[in-house]
């Protein structure tokens, strides 16, 4: 048999002729090993068929390279065997046909044929032919079935790129709404990396580690050694090799997958996180410029923190009768992966604090100061109970309440501080609080520090020296001559004698310095910014909720996956619904028995600390596509304070996080799909990734108008009943016709998805005054009037309708920036700006938090506001830990 005949032998016969299999070829160095003619012919044949060679998703760790002709030096070294090290590949045992001395084996080709009986060859050939026939039949049968649903009775669309995958028109319309049949014919969802079929999801689950800890373990195996390799962007990275130089096939073997999570484009996205940063910010001049900019805004905050700590140390020295130079604060037992909170106000502790040596009760220095002044505000040692009665479904739509129904508690904490217990400092000395307040009441709280001695003081001195050493920073001015009424701005307010009625709204940042300076000129004033066209940077990914759900959960049929927990925007309580029903309602809408629209919200799914783990391709692409990367890149942003934290500490969870919710263009007044008024403690950027419009029928429109009339009558009744507070005020009216007249402008905007109202920081106090005065006109859980207020902005119990915004401007002369967020637009919200959102359509938004140097001072201010809230307040948790970030 000739050479060509040998190459065509089926894989089942390779062992008979002593040929190496595909697995034997993995781990070879393409530059050092000559490929055999069989491999070349096989590759040509497969290339003619329009297919690429498939390899396993993970390379085998112990594969033997082909033997090369040894040089004299190699022969000498081979004669003296050396002991195997832990990273050496395990040698294979010789094949059964490889008998004889070493010289004979070296003289003959390693892949040469071996004589075998003719009967054995004939039997094996017949078996191989029969197996090949069965494979061809299966291939022919599967070739005309849909890759998504495996159905073969519908109209099919074949991919022109891979020439293998076929999708039926039903799946294209149902599963891939953003793609037309022509686009699928040019490039199928599998080639685009957005296929959501069970097989593709299963391949992703097998190839991806389950958690970051697994990735860390896999990358630090003892049997592997690290080797530096330059990536396309010129940044050195580490790769793992098992004693064998990686080949081109090895580099791509882990990328072969039909889903976008593991396709080559996604790998380049992950590299871009460092590569783009290296290109844009790698220069020494740029780094120095960013350092000066950071110092300018961070130094005042650092000095304030150091001043507070020094004041506490001076007080302790005075109580002990020591000089300041004689003070020696004991080091606290704290690890880098541990977070320390004040047991009174729940604020994070970053350095100096007091601790009980008996029960480990810990107190921040802000609470210490208030205790000595007998004005303890942080947490006020209390837990408040706020309950809203469930008066029945009919009451939520204007009917009479039902008596004696179970109350729905807003929180599950019901304990309150006994009035008889009082915690005070005795002559400046603070003892541990009594057991009723969480302490032991026996020992004096000792001063402790987390950082080394005088660490913060030395940091302050070094920063001051460095600031003098460097040239003055090129701080942008507050004036922006470019933003008049042009294409880069959007009209959002009608304030009189104001220069900030327009919002800076560029089409997209192109990474140039002028764009960043323009952004900073508005950002430093606390103004929001809108960037258009962000979604265009992510054309290869599907952001439809069903696709994202399939990418996370795959074909799982567990009870946890069949149902999903959502928020009902009418009762504002958590409800459980079938997953498929929720997604059907996202596209088609849902309504109650009385035809009132049912608005549901799926908030923070998947949980923000698992987003990049469960949706790695979406997370990496989203982060790299955000505008103004020095601020928004959570990995390498040079102007993102949280990104500059050391790697060995417990990082703050900044996102990404998703928000999936229904929407309605018309303002309902009750049960709107809204994010109620609140104020974030950090900066944020929110991108509208997907929308679906639901148009109610004429019959439903009539039912909505009738129910609105009932709501209006109930509002007047309930409001007039509360007039003992202020009898000079008029009864509250919803003003259905006037209330929704201004919202008609949003109906005609086909690209609009969400209506935003962002208030200026300086207007926050007047906004609080208005909400306290008109609190009874707002409804919260079970559509019950708001009963109690702690902080109108942080309580998240208010949403200002068009009528309330009109009255707010009449009474206090303030109004928010009001604008419609369109598909693919990114909204930048500065820290400290109260804001609210109403969904005009079913929307999918992805957001991240970040800390910009310009707003660190505002973040610290908000931290003090949060610490004064009750212990069990829903916004109490100091998620950002701004002080610790320093």
């Amino acid at each position: 048999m000739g050479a060509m005949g040998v190459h065509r032998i089926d894989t089942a016969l390779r062992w008979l002729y002593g040929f190496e299999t595909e697995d034997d070829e993995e781990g070879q160095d393409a530059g050092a090993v000559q490929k055999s003619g069989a491999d070349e012919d096989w590759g040509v044949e497969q290339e003619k068929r329009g297919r690429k060679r498939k390899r396993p998703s993970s390379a085998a760790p112990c594969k033997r390279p082909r033997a090369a002709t040894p040089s004299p030096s190699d022969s000498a070294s081979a004669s003296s065997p050396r002991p195997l090290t832990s990273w050496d590949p395990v040698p294979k045992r010789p094949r059964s046909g490889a008998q004889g001395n070493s010289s004979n084996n070296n003289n003959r080709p390693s892949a040469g044929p071996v004589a075998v009986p003719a009967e054995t060859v004939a039997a094996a050939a017949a078996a191989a032919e029969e197996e090949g026939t069965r494979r061809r039949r299966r291939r022919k049968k599967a070739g005309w079935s849909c890759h998504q649903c495996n159905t073969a009775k519908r109209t099919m669309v074949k991919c022109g790129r891979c020439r293998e995958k076929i999708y039926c028109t039903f799946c294209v319309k149902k599963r891939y709404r953003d793609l037309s049949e022509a686009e699928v014919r040019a490039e199928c969802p599998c080639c685009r990396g957005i296929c959501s079929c069970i097989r593709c999801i299963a391949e992703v689950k097998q190839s991806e580690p389950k958690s970051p800890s697994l990735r860390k373990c896999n990358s630090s195996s003892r049997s592997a050694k690290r080797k530096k390799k330059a990536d396309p962007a010129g940044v050195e990275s580490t790769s793992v090799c098992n004693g064998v130089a990686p080949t081109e096939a090895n580099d791509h073997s882990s990328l072969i997958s039909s889903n976008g999570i593991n396709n080559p484009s996604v790998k380049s996205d992950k590299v871009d996180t460092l590569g783009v940063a290296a290109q844009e910010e790698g220069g020494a001049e740029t780094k120095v410029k960013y350092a000066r900019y950071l110092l300018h805004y961070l130094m005042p905050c650092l000095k304030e923190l150091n001043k507070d700590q020094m004041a506490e140390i001076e007080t302790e020295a005075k109580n002990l009768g020591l000089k300041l130079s004689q003070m020696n604060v004991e080091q606290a037992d704290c690890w880098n992966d541990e977070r320390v909170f004040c047991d009174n106000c729940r604020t994070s502790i970053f350095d100096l604090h007091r601790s009980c040596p008996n029960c480990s009760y810990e107190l921040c220095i802000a609470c210490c100061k208030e205790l000595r002044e007998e004005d303890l505000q942080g947490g006020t040692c209390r837990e408040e109970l706020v309950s809203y009665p469930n008066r029945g479904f009919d009451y939520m739509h204007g009917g009479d309440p039902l008596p004696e129904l179970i109350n729905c508690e807003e929180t599950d904490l019901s304990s309150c501080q006994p009035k008889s217990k009082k915690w005070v400092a005795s002559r400046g000395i603070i003892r541990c609080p009594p057991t009723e307040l969480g302490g032991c009441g026996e020992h004096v709280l000792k001063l402790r520090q987390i950082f080394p001695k005088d660490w913060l003081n030395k940091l302050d001195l070094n920063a001051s020296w460095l600031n003098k050493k460097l040239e003055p920073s090129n701080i942008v001015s507050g004036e922006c001559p470019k933003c008049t009424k042009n294409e880069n701005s959007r009209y959002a307010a009608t304030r009189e004698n104001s220069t900030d009625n327009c919002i800076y709204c560029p089409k997209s940042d192109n990474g140039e310095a002028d764009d960043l300076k323009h952004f900073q000129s508005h950002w430093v004033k606390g103004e929001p910014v809108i960037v258009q066209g962000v979604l265009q940077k992510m054309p290869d990914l599907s952001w439809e909720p069903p696709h994202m759900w399939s990418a996370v959960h795959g074909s799982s049929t567990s009870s946890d996956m069949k149902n999903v927990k959502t928020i009902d925007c009418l009762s504002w309580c958590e409800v459980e619904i079938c997953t498929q029903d929720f997604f059907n309602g996202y596209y088609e809408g849902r309504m109650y028995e009385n035809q009132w629209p049912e608005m549901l919200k799926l908030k923070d799914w998947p949980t923000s600390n698992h987003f990049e783990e469960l949706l790695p391709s979406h997370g990496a692409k989203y982060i790299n596509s955000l505008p103004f990367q020095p601020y928004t890149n959570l990995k390498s942003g040079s102007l993102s304070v949280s990104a500059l934290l050391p790697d060995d500490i417990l990082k703050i969870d900044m996102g990404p996080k998703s928000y999936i919710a229904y929407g309605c263009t018309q303002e309902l007044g009750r049960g709107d799909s809204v994010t109620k008024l609140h104020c974030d403690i950090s900066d944020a950027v929110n991108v509208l990734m997907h929308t679906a419009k639901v148009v109610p029928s004429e019959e439903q429109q009539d039912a909505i108008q009738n129910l609105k009339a009932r709501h209006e009558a109930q509002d007047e009744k309930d409001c007039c009943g509360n007039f003992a507070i202020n009898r000079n005020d008029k009864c509250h009216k919803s003003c259905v016709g006037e209330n929704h007249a201004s919202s008609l402008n949003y109906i005609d905007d086909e690209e609009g998805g969400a209506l935003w109202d962002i208030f200026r920081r300086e207007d926050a106090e007047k906004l609080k005054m208005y909400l306290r005065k008109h609190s009874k006109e707002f409804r919260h859980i079970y559509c019950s009037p708001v009963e109690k207020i702690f902080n109108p902005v942080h309580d998240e119990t208010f949403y200002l309708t068009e009528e309330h915004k009109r009255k707010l401007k009449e009474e206090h002369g303030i109004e928010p920036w009001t604008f419609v967020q369109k598909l693919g637009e990114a909204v930048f919200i500065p820290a400290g700006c109260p804001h609210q959102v109403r969904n005009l359509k079913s929307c999918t938004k992805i957001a991240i938090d970040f800390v910009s140097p310009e707003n660190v001072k505002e973040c610290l201010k908000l931290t003090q506001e949060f610490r004064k809230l009750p212990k069990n307040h829903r916004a109490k948790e100091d998620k950002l830990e701004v002080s610790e970030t320093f």
Side-chain angles (χ1 to χ4, degrees), residues 20 50 93 113 141 183 213 216 264 317 325 328 367 570 607 625 703 714 736 740 746 788 835 861:
E20 294 183 357
R93 291 179 295 177
K141 181 178 179 180
E183 291 174 330
S213 60
K216 184 176 181 180
S325 59
N328 187 18
C367 289
L570 180 63
T607 54
S625 301
Q714 187 184 51
V736 176
H740 304 292
Y746 310 129
K788 194 167 186 178
H835 58 282
K861 176 184 174 183

Side-chain angles (χ1 to χ4, degrees), residues 575-588:
V575 296
E576 190 168 309
I577 182 176
C578 174
T579 303
Q580 188 61 44
D581 292 342
F582 173 80
F583 289 128
N584 289 340
Y586 180 90
Y587 293 101
E588 302 168 4

